[in-house]
Amino acid sequence: MSEQRDLPESMAWRVIGRLESGQIQRSVADTVGVARSVVARMWNRFKETGNVRRRPGTGRPRATTSSYDRYIQLTARRNRTENATQLQRQLLLATGRRVSSQTARNRLHEGGLYARRPMVCIPLTHTTVRPEEDGLLNMEIGSNMIGAKCCLQTSPNSV
């Protein structure tokens, strides 16, 4: 016997129609050519949900609905410089729904966008540009992730 995954939706509605008209499950199963358990399961699903479609598979339920997903993506497009944490806060203020910043990043990625990573920029002032004894200028640009200072050396004529 071939293993059939699920009845087509049109056939499932015919089965429900026959059952609602008063036929017993055994005769409906014989008429359609499926096992009685398939008809019984379909009838129970219809009584519980009012629909014949299968429910989505098992797994963790999504933290956001499709409208929340669209809101996160729209906010990211409007405010190009906001990172995932700021988008998460925007969603909380607008809808009252609390999601993690990782969820915000995931929803952006699903929409073909990427979370912005904040970049720390230190503006160059006269205190960060100081002359050295060897005739070169050291300009302190910033520090990297491990705390080491990044410097750029140039000659005084090129500045």
Side-chain angles (χ1 to χ4, degrees):
M1 191 171 195
S2 69
E3 194 174 310
Q4 191 173 1
R5 198 65 194 144
D6 209 7
L7 280 179
E9 195 171 340
S10 59
M11 183 65 75
W13 281 113
R14 283 192 203 124
V15 168
I16 297 301
R18 288 176 184 256
L19 290 171
E20 285 183 329
S21 69
Q23 288 187 6
I24 59 173
Q25 291 182 4
R26 183 185 312 150
S27 67
V28 173
D30 293 340
T31 306
V32 176
V34 294
R36 295 177 193 156
S37 62
V38 172
V39 174
R41 194 170 45 243
M42 196 173 304
W43 181 243
N44 288 337
R45 185 185 310 151
F46 177 75
K47 286 192 300 186
E48 284 177 14
T49 65
N51 204 342
V52 294
R53 286 189 186 158
R54 289 179 55 128
R55 287 187 226 131
T58 60
R60 183 176 173 89
R62 288 179 68 95
T64 57
T65 62
S66 59
S67 61
Y68 291 159
D69 297 347
R70 281 193 308 272
Y71 180 81
I72 291 171
Q73 293 169 7
L74 182 67
T75 307
R77 285 192 183 103
R78 283 183 183 157
N79 307 319
R80 302 294 292 185
T81 58
E82 287 194 355
N83 59 21
T85 307
Q86 292 167 331
L87 292 172
Q88 162 202 11
R89 229 174 268 125
Q90 289 261 350
L91 181 68
L92 178 64
L93 292 173
T95 63
R97 179 70 178 173
R98 185 179 302 272
V99 296
S100 67
S101 56
Q102 184 61 52
T103 299
R105 275 187 222 103
N106 291 343
R107 298 309 175 256
L108 287 175
H109 186 69
E110 288 170 5
L113 300 169
Y114 295 92
R116 280 66 175 173
R117 302 236 178 221
M119 203 169 157
V120 177
C121 295
I122 300 171
L124 292 177
T125 63
H126 62 82
T127 58
T128 57
V129 178
R130 57 188 192 283
E132 293 291 325
E133 302 102 30
D134 56 2
L136 296 176
L137 288 179
N138 281 339
M139 291 190 291
E140 187 179 315
I141 296 176
S143 58
N144 60 13
M145 296 298 283
I146 57 173
K149 292 192 176 181
C150 302
C151 296
L152 172 68
Q153 284 192 339
T154 61
S155 65
N157 298 335
S158 65
V159 175

